[in-house]
């Protein structure tokens, strides 16, 4: 039946575990025909690829066919896909930059090939770190889409350099197992230095990885790895997909970084951009063959109107080969453990999500606005990377809430493991920007933190790189603003602004961590309340690096209050490692009291209690619990350890249940002293 699924009546298409999907979400049943149709399209492409010579194994290793292939006899076979080109030539240091001496031969299906013989002494003509260039149609200068190393040459334009060192780096440590509780440290190598410059892979390995490990995170998500000519694009305008960015160092140095991360037990995620590509032509993928199409859609469908970038044509087999091979390249060549897919909402819909509100009605996800070709690519990508390594984790940056995105493909899902809980940081920033503390709605906070699809993993976060970018501010800066310049010293006079800021910074993080999902993410530096914003050097700021760095001295200085936030973040992560609330069932919320501004819930055998009231404290406050016994406080933002007043300390004092049902729970405890703008949670101690 291989290759014939799309010709069948969709209701006859076999989807192996579809009933599991309907058991989990009965609202999907009316859309069974469309779910089966999508699966049929996916299965058709899968079977077609498997039927070709080498099957999926060869198809997903396009980097071993295209680009320069170095043969044992010293010769080089170089292939490209350029269906719209009339001619291709290769020039470089190896031939004295002769533009005509080395033409490619045209093959079938838009492929081109050239054989470069070895030198008379048997050595390879293409030397390590030598520069090469492809000329299309005699006058268009291009970089190979499969280039593995590019760097600027004589200006800002990037050029292809052969990367074949005599002693390539060999990994010493195996990949780590998939974390049961995912605590992600989102990071960017270039900004990870405190100096006004671009940081390096080596500096990150030596200086930042130890901080991350000590802080209790078990995964890093590295941004802006694929080469991007424009640094200020934050890595989201990719120009060379197979080239790790040379502005931070060499490919071998990136491998050393990843190897070291594995050595200390950190799972490594790559921030992958397959939703669009830079419009650059001289050093990008755009118009590679001299046409407006090639890897992208022609016409308006091929350009993103807001991002001013090119959109891939996922219906083209060679585009699928390119993108799927790109994932495998980073899995195998660089030993990345998993992927965070950027811009998934833009991929999923013909509207690119522009102006879409996404009410949650299922018609929005199963109508004509869905870009089926992109959806099928995501199903293929997820299924393939998981089949290569079952330890892989994939995360979708999708704001639309597409059903079954985080369910296996064999159920009719898209195959991701997690989606980002993007509504959560939006809520916190909106509250801090637009509402007074006394106007915060506890029900709204709880709804936003718990509003996720059943049995589909969500990565919760209070803020990421999006909130730190210029034009916005970090949560710490929204909370304390100018006071961060004058009252963050432990020797300065007390400041109500800073006291409130420290407390809410801790509270926002803990309730997001504990209630918002099945994973947690923090952006580099925000764990200690990094001030101000993030802004890369560009024409608009006189090419300054002042805001494109991390001021580590702030948290390292014992006389500054940043250490309090850092300590709370560390203890929160280590407690999650001990008790495992992220890998537990969602929390049961027993209290969301609007007048008292109190939220209480249980998860993983713990009781979390938050008092968001700006000025009201409580004594003998009753909290419902489901398990009778004795409870003790083990974390509280009012502790002096975190810059609080010490009115409530995790000092081992027990709170016994009183056999009084409360808040739809079997029993309850009374919290002796419950201060405003602080919170504690209690670990169950069995009788």
């Amino acid at each position: 039946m291989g290759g014939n699924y799309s010709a069948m009546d969709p209701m006859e298409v076999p989807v192996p575990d579809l009933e599991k999907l309907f058991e989990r979400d009965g609202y999907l049943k009316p859309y069974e025909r469309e779910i089966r149709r999508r699966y049929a399209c996916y299965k058709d492409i899968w079977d077609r690829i498997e039927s070709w010579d080498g099957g999926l194994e060869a198809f997903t290793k396009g980097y071993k066919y295209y680009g320069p292939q170095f043969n044992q006899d010293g010769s080089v076979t170089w292939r490209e896909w350029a269906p719209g080109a009339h001619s291709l030539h290769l020039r470089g240091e190896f031939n004295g930059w002769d533009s005509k001496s080395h033409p490619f031969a045209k093959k079938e299906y838009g492929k081109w090939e050239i054989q470069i013989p070895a030198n008379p002494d048997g050595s390879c003509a293409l030397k390590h770190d030598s520069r090469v260039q492809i000329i299309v149609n005699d006058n268009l200068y291009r970089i190979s889409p499969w280039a593995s190393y590019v760097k600027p040459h004589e200006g800002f334009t990037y050029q292809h350099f052969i990367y074949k060192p005599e002693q390539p780096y060999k990994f010493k440590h195996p990949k780590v197992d998939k974390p049961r509780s995912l605590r992600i440290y989102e990071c960017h190598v270039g900004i990870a230095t405190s100096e006004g410059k671009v940081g390096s892979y080596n500096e990150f390995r030596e200086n930042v990885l130890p901080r991350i490990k000590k802080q209790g995170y078990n995964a890093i998500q590295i941004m802006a790895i694929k080469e991007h000519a424009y640094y200020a694009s934050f890595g989201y305008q990719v120009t060379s997909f197979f080239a790790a960015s040379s502005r931070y160092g060499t490919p071998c140095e990136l491998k050393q970084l990843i190897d070291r991360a594995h050595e200390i037990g950190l799972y490594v995620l790559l921030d992958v951009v397959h939703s669009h590509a830079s419009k650059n032509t001289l050093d990008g993928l755009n118009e590679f063959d001299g046409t407006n199409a090639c890897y992208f859609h022609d016409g308006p469908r091929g350009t993103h109107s807001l991002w001013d970038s090119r959109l891939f044509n996922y219906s083209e087999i060679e585009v699928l080969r390119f993108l799927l091979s790109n994932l495998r390249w980073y899995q195998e060549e660089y030993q990345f453990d998993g992927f965070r897919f950027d811009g998934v909402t833009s991929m999923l819909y013909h509207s690119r999500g522009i102006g879409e509100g996404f009410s949650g009605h299922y018609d929005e996800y199963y109508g004509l606005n869905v870009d089926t070709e992109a959806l099928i690519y995501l199903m293929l990508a997820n299924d393939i990377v998981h089949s290569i390594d079952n330890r892989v984790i994939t995360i979708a940056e999708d704001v639309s809430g597409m059903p079954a995105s985080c369910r296996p493909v064999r159920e009719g899902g898209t195959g991701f493991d997690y989606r980002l809980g993007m509504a959560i940081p939006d809520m916190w920033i909106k509250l801090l920007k637009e509402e007074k503390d006394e106007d915060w709605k506890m029900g709204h906070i709880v709804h936003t933190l718990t509003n996720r699809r059943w049995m589909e993993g969500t990565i919760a976060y209070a803020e990421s790189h999006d909130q730190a970018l210029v034009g916005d501010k970090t949560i710490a800066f929204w909370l304390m603003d100018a006071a961060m310049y004058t009252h963050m010293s432990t020797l300065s006079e007390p400041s109500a602004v800073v006291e409130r800021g420290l407390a809410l910074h801790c509270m926002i993080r803990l309730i997001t961590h504990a209630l918002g999902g099945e994973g947690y993410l923090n952006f580099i530096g925000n764990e200690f309340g990094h001030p101000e914003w993030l802004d890369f050097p560009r024409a608009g700021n006189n090419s300054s690096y002042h805001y494109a760095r991390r001021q580590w001295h702030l948290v390292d200085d014992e006389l500054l209050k940043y250490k309090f936030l850092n300590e709370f973040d560390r203890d929160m992560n280590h407690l999650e490692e001990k008790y495992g609330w992220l890998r537990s069932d969602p929390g049961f919320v027993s209290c969301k009291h609007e007048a008292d501004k109190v939220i209480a819930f249980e998860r993983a055998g713990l009781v979390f209690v938050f008092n968001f009231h700006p000025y009201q404290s409580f004594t003998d406050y009753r909290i419902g619990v489901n398990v009778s016994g004795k409870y003790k406080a083990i974390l509280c933002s009012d502790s002096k350890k975190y810059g609080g007043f010490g009115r409530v300390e995790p000092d081992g004092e027990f709170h016994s249940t009183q056999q009084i049902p409360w808040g739809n729970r079997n029993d309850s405890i009374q919290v002796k002293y419950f201060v405003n703008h602080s919170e504690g949670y209690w670990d169950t101690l069995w009788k």
Side-chain angles (χ1 to χ4, degrees):
M1 193 182 290
N4 295 318
Y5 287 92
S6 60
M8 300 171 63
D9 181 332
M11 296 305 289
E12 297 179 4
V13 173
V15 183
D17 293 332
L18 184 59
E19 289 307 314
K20 290 184 180 179
L21 188 69
F22 294 150
E23 288 173 10
R24 186 189 56 81
D25 188 348
Y27 291 106
L28 287 170
K29 185 66 177 177
Y31 302 92
E32 180 176 355
R33 175 175 290 273
E34 177 60 14
I35 294 171
R36 289 185 182 273
R37 187 191 70 82
R38 293 175 182 179
Y39 186 85
C41 295
Y42 148 81
K43 197 68 171 67
D44 260 356
I45 296 176
W46 180 285
D47 287 349
R48 284 171 58 196
I49 295 172
E50 278 284 40
S51 70
W52 297 333
D53 186 31
L56 277 164
E57 178 70 14
F59 188 82
T60 56
K61 289 185 176 180
Y63 47 85
K64 292 190 174 182
Y65 179 82
Y66 286 111
Q69 303 300 316
F70 297 90
N71 305 317
Q72 290 187 351
D73 63 359
S75 66
V76 177
T77 303
W78 193 313
R79 302 182 186 91
E80 295 293 347
W81 179 68
H86 305 301
S87 66
L88 258 68
H89 290 80
L90 185 69
R91 72 172 188 171
E93 295 175 30
F94 76 99
N95 69 354
W97 295 98
D98 190 320
S99 300
K100 296 293 185 180
S101 64
H102 285 74
F104 283 75
K106 189 171 185 178
K107 303 294 183 179
E108 59 183 354
Y109 309 121
K111 298 176 183 178
W112 298 78
E113 181 179 303
I114 187 174
Q115 297 288 338
I116 305 171
N119 291 324
D121 62 359
S123 64
C124 182
L126 301 183
K127 304 296 185 184
H128 171 66
D129 209 32
S130 64
R131 187 161 58 98
V132 291
Q133 191 174 55
I134 292 173
I135 304 177
V136 178
N137 300 341
D138 297 325
N139 62 353
L140 303 175
Y141 300 97
R142 297 291 186 257
I143 286 178
S144 170
W146 303 85
S148 63
Y149 189 55
V150 299
K151 55 185 179 181
H153 180 76
E154 297 179 353
F156 296 103
T157 303
Y158 279 66
Q159 305 247 337
H160 183 180
F161 287 78
I162 299 298
Y163 194 81
K164 196 169 177 59
E166 291 185 7
Q167 295 182 326
Y169 184 79
K170 295 181 179 179
F171 287 92
K172 302 177 179 64
H173 305 281
K175 291 185 176 183
V176 301
D177 291 334
K178 182 189 302 186
R180 293 179 62 202
S181 293
L182 194 57
R183 302 183 299 276
I184 303 171
Y185 195 86
E186 184 185 36
C187 48
H188 184 289
V189 172
I191 70 166
T193 175
S194 58
E195 301 175 54
K197 64 171 190 174
V198 177
S200 71
Y201 294 126
N202 289 340
E203 290 171 324
F204 191 94
R205 184 187 74 242
E206 294 297 323
N207 302 328
V208 183
L209 285 181
R211 290 180 181 270
I212 298 170
K213 181 65 177 178
K214 183 179 179 181
Q215 204 64 17
Y217 292 92
N218 56 19
I220 57 174
Q221 177 183 301
I222 313 182
M223 308 173 62
I225 288 297
K226 297 181 183 184
E227 193 59 87
H228 47 293
Y230 184 42
Y231 187 42
S233 74
F234 220 150
Y236 292 119
Q237 294 277 345
V238 177
T239 45
S240 289
F241 282 77
F242 285 83
S245 182
S246 61
R247 60 169 50 87
Y248 317 128
T250 68
C252 285
E253 289 167 345
L254 172 58
K255 292 177 182 179
Q256 287 180 279
L257 186 164
I258 294 170
D259 205 19
R260 175 57 178 158
H262 288 157
E263 182 184 5
I264 62 177
L266 291 175
Y267 191 93
V268 186
L269 292 152
L270 174 67
D271 196 354
V272 62
V273 185
H274 281 180
S275 50
H276 64 126
S278 168
K279 292 182 77 172
N280 288 18
T281 54
L282 292 178
D283 53 10
L285 198 59
N286 189 24
E287 298 181 9
F288 173 69
D289 66 350
T291 73
N292 197 44
C294 197
Y295 288 92
F296 309 105
H297 287 291
D298 197 2
R301 191 180 177 189
T303 302
H304 197 290
S305 60
L306 290 184
W307 299 342
D308 194 31
S309 54
R310 298 306 312 274
L311 299 175
F312 287 103
N313 179 2
Y314 303 103
S315 66
E316 172 58 61
I317 285 295
E318 290 300 332
V319 174
L320 292 180
R321 188 198 307 271
F322 179 81
L323 295 175
L324 294 173
S325 297
N326 191 235
L327 295 172
R328 188 159 192 169
W329 167 258
Y330 285 99
Q331 269 187 285
E332 299 192 345
E333 181 69 17
Y334 288 99
Q335 295 290 292
F336 278 94
D337 298 294
F339 303 98
R340 178 263 199 192
F341 283 74
D342 178 72
V344 169
T345 305
S346 172
M347 298 173 71
L348 288 175
Y349 305 97
H350 291 296
S351 66
R352 308 302 158 210
I354 300 171
E356 294 282 333
F358 296 109
S359 66
H361 194 286
Y362 281 47
D363 285 352
E364 296 173 333
Y365 310 116
Y366 295 99
L368 296 177
N369 188 32
V370 174
D371 189 332
T372 303
E373 295 164 1
L375 177 63
I376 300 310
Y377 163 68
L378 291 172
M379 293 169 70
L380 286 166
N382 277 303
D383 227 13
I384 287 170
V385 297
H386 284 95
S387 68
I388 293 170
D389 187 348
N390 60 15
R391 295 169 295 185
V392 163
I393 291 172
T394 58
I395 302 169
E397 189 211 26
D398 173 35
V399 72
S400 75
M402 169 72 77
S405 282
C406 302
R407 298 304 303 170
V409 172
R410 60 184 293 112
E411 288 184 15
T414 312
F416 288 104
D417 296 286
Y418 299 91
R419 62 158 51 90
L420 292 178
M422 300 178 71
I424 298 173
D426 290 346
M427 173 195 70
W428 289 124
I429 295 298
K430 184 177 176 63
L431 287 176
L432 294 172
K433 287 172 65 174
E434 300 178 7
E435 296 192 21
K436 298 178 181 178
D437 293 2
E438 54 266 34
D439 294 332
W440 288 16
K441 301 294 188 293
M442 300 299 102
H444 172 63
I445 293 173
V446 168
H447 173 76
T448 304
L449 290 169
T450 58
N451 183 29
R452 55 188 185 272
R453 298 195 182 279
W454 176 247
M455 295 183 68
E456 294 195 42
T458 294
I459 302 296
Y461 58 105
E463 55 184 335
S464 70
H465 67 272
D466 288 324
Q467 287 70 41
L469 286 170
V470 64
D472 210 331
K473 295 187 288 191
T474 63
I475 284 179
F477 214 51
W478 278 115
L479 286 167
M480 296 176 277
D481 206 38
M484 298 189 80
Y485 297 114
T486 58
H487 288 79
M488 287 300 282
S489 170
T490 57
L491 304 179
S492 62
E493 66 275 15
S495 164
V497 171
V498 170
E499 290 163 3
R500 167 185 176 269
L502 295 178
L504 280 177
H505 196 273
C506 295
M507 293 174 67
I508 287 170
R509 273 166 162 67
L510 180 58
I511 196 171
T512 300
H513 203 307
L515 191 60
E518 290 69 41
Y520 178 75
L521 178 143
N522 169 74
F523 179 64
I524 182 171
N526 288 352
E527 68 276 9
F528 64 84
H530 200 285
E532 301 173 326
W533 51 84
L534 183 62
D535 190 14
F536 287 87
R538 53 188 174 83
N541 64 10
N542 294 319
S543 300
S544 171
Y545 285 87
H546 180 75
Y547 296 108
R549 61 194 179 106
R550 297 289 87 177
Q551 300 180 55
W552 299 113
H553 67 280
L554 296 176
V555 68
D556 293 339
D557 192 332
E558 285 295 319
L559 294 179
L560 295 180
K561 297 176 183 178
Y562 296 96
K563 66 178 181 180
F564 297 138
L565 301 179
N566 197 64
E567 189 75 14
F568 185 89
D569 184 83
R570 181 186 307 143
D571 288 350
M572 176 177 66
N573 281 325
H574 284 298
L575 283 170
E576 197 290 322
E577 175 67 21
K578 180 178 180 179
Y579 296 104
W581 58 73
L582 290 173
R583 59 180 179 266
S584 300
D585 289 340
F588 183 93
V589 180
S590 60
C591 177
K592 41 186 177 182
H593 199 293
E594 296 295 352
D596 293 348
K597 304 298 180 190
V598 170
I599 295 172
F601 59 91
E602 295 158 275
R603 192 176 186 186
L606 306 174
V607 183
F608 297 77
V609 188
F610 297 81
N611 178 9
F612 282 100
H613 207 292
Y615 50 82
Q616 181 66 54
S617 297
F618 303 98
T619 57
D620 298 323
Y621 201 92
R622 188 170 299 280
I623 301 295
V625 296
N626 216 39
V627 179
S628 300
K630 293 183 178 180
Y631 292 75
K632 69 173 182 179
I634 54 175
L635 184 71
C636 182
S637 67
D638 194 52
S639 172
K640 290 184 178 179
K641 182 181 181 182
Y642 311 127
F645 294 98
R647 294 167 294 185
V648 179
E649 291 283 359
D651 54 7
E653 181 180 356
F654 292 99
H655 294 69
S656 299
T657 52
Q658 301 175 340
Q659 297 183 336
I660 301 175
W662 196 264
N664 294 316
R665 307 309 273 161
N666 295 328
D667 211 332
S668 61
I669 58 174
Q670 279 187 297
V671 181
K672 183 177 293 185
Y673 189 45
F674 190 26
V675 300
N676 58 296
H677 273 157
S678 70
E679 84 296 320
Y681 65 81
W682 284 263
D683 172 31
T684 302
L685 296 178
W686 303 106
K687 288 185 179 179

